[in-house]
Amino acid sequence: MTATHTDKPAIVIARAIFPEVVEQLQQYFVVESNQANESWSGTEFVKRLRGKHGALTTGEQRIDAEVLAACPDLKICANMAVGHDNFDLPAMTAAGVLATNAPDVLTETTADGGFALLMAAARRISEGEHFLRAGKWREWSYDMLLGQDVHGTTLGIVGMGRIGQAIARRGARGFGMTVLYHNRSRLSAGKEQDAGGARYVRLDELLRRADHVVLVAPLTPQTRHLIGAAELALMKPTATLVNIGRGGVVDDAALAAALQAGQIAAAGLDVFEGEPSVHPALLRCSNVVLTPHIASASAPTRLAMARLAADNLIDYLTRGTARTPLNPELLA
Ligand code: GLV
């Protein structure tokens, strides 16, 4: 029997997404979408969420006990992001609301994005482009825009999940780098081997020894300001720091001060505290490459992330299963 319009569960899509994914969702649900891509306030989002059974979120929409109390019909929130610091998972589980994220499909693309930032920062690519566009390139000079080597150096990775391991493989196999890592827990010997023979070290040792540090850690109470003034002071003056994890893992004001003082050579940032705002002191530093949270933004990967979020909504609301649940205890 074909479901009538009113039999369909109702969902909200918090941001504009690929039209073909909206169309796919409309086959199963009554859909309120935001194809105008308006920045809904928290209150506006809750107004739209009330009475809905599911939501496709992007990592910007906070789902906590207060939101859940206001939306008793809600059954699932599907993040179109691997990170999920916008979800209060214990509160969602207590309210019986399934949370899903979008892992795996973005791993290699995000690792490419991280490596691009590392290369751009170490080799001063953005600075060089600004210099050229400003008409300042008038003559050859032996010391024009000298950067640091990437090949054959030591790469330190903080947060050795799937994306961290993909960056390690690139560094070790493509650039002959020695790989150190720090993580909540040590990887198995097999995984360390696959990650280019990566060696587990303490954070302070990694910061002292690495020529290039890449942060891929999620934002949690334990990782907030994991890298602040004291940690930056341990790094080499020639070192680069890349953050593709989450804003807030780095103290952005302390980083800007370290960059201005030449305490480290350069940085590459794709995520920021309080984004889309960026600390004004970072905007004044020429030795930092800044990108607007686009490490996963290749066309095929963003489509795969949207499709995975949609499939989680469809699977859960039509047959009680999910592909990438964060609180799978609700599936039992
Ligand atoms: C992007 O930052 C994501 O978490 O997918």
Side-chain angles (χ1 to χ4, degrees):
M1 196 177 80
T2 314
T4 63
H5 184 78
T6 48
D7 289 332
K8 290 180 175 178
I11 66 158
V12 61
I13 306 175
R15 277 289 192 181
I17 57 165
F18 297 88
E20 59 264 49
V21 179
V22 177
E23 277 163 31
Q24 180 193 8
L25 288 165
Q26 280 166 338
Q27 290 170 26
Y28 297 88
F29 307 124
V30 175
V31 176
E32 176 168 357
S33 60
N34 180 10
Q35 288 303 84
N37 207 31
E38 286 163 7
S39 289
W40 290 340
S41 66
T43 318
E44 179 67 26
F45 175 63
V46 170
K47 220 169 87 188
R48 312 267 183 169
L49 191 58
R50 207 169 283 142
K52 304 294 193 308
H53 305 101
L56 193 152
T57 50
T58 62
E60 295 169 297
Q61 297 77 29
R62 178 99 194 120
I63 307 291
D64 57 18
E66 204 182 320
V67 172
L68 294 163
C71 304
D73 297 314
L74 192 63
K75 294 186 167 52
I76 173 173
C77 290
N79 242 17
M80 187 186 144
V82 65
H84 49 84
D85 45 288
N86 58 317
F87 288 166
D88 180 338
L89 267 188
M92 291 177 77
T93 307
V97 173
L98 192 77
T100 64
N101 67 341
D104 302 321
V105 291
L106 82 183
T107 299
E108 298 299 331
T109 297
T110 307
D112 285 351
F115 225 88
L117 269 181
L118 166 55
M119 295 293 292
R123 295 299 308 275
R124 305 178 66 180
I125 300 294
S126 295
E127 261 183 284
E129 189 184 358
H130 288 129
F131 177 84
L132 180 154
R133 285 181 189 273
K136 294 181 182 166
W137 183 29
R138 301 218 178 82
E139 62 197 4
W140 183 90
S141 165
Y142 80 96
D143 61 351
M144 185 168 67
L145 290 160
L146 298 182
Q148 300 300 324
D149 275 328
V150 172
H151 73 272
T153 61
T154 296
L155 172 63
I157 300 175
V158 180
M160 198 62 158
R162 288 164 285 224
I163 298 169
Q165 291 170 49
I167 290 171
R169 288 195 298 274
R170 281 161 178 72
R173 296 195 195 141
F175 290 78
M177 298 171 93
T178 300
V179 181
L180 308 176
Y181 75 96
H182 183 74
N183 197 42
R184 264 172 312 184
S185 51
R186 191 172 171 170
L187 301 185
S188 66
K191 280 195 171 161
E192 287 184 347
Q193 203 46 44
D194 289 346
R199 284 201 39 225
Y200 179 80
V201 292
R202 290 197 337 227
L203 181 61
D204 58 343
E205 183 181 346
L206 181 147
L207 295 170
R208 275 195 194 91
R209 288 181 52 195
D211 297 299
H212 306 287
V213 175
V214 180
L215 307 173
V216 205
L219 182 64
T220 65
Q222 292 72 39
T223 62
R224 182 172 294 279
H225 285 192
L226 185 69
I227 305 297
E231 290 72 26
L232 291 161
L234 299 176
M235 293 176 65
K236 299 181 184 182
T238 50
T240 56
L241 178 72
V242 169
N243 187 10
I244 56 162
R246 271 293 178 271
V249 173
V250 176
D251 176 343
D252 284 348
L255 175 59
L259 286 165
Q260 271 157 12
Q263 204 170 25
I264 66 170
L269 305 175
D270 189 51
V271 289
F272 304 87
E273 289 186 284
E275 64 185 54
S277 294
V278 175
H279 196 293
L282 283 173
L283 295 172
R284 289 194 295 270
C285 294
S286 56
N287 50 347
V288 57
V289 182
L290 305 166
T291 52
H293 205 145
I294 54 168
S296 68
S298 75
T301 291
R302 282 285 167 89
L303 180 59
M305 291 165 72
R307 285 204 188 286
L308 179 53
D311 286 340
N312 274 311
L313 286 166
I314 294 164
D315 287 359
Y316 192 57
L317 291 175
T318 64
R319 53 178 174 276
T321 63
R323 300 184 186 204
T324 50
L326 292 163
N327 46 1
E329 55 272 36
L330 292 184
L331 296 174

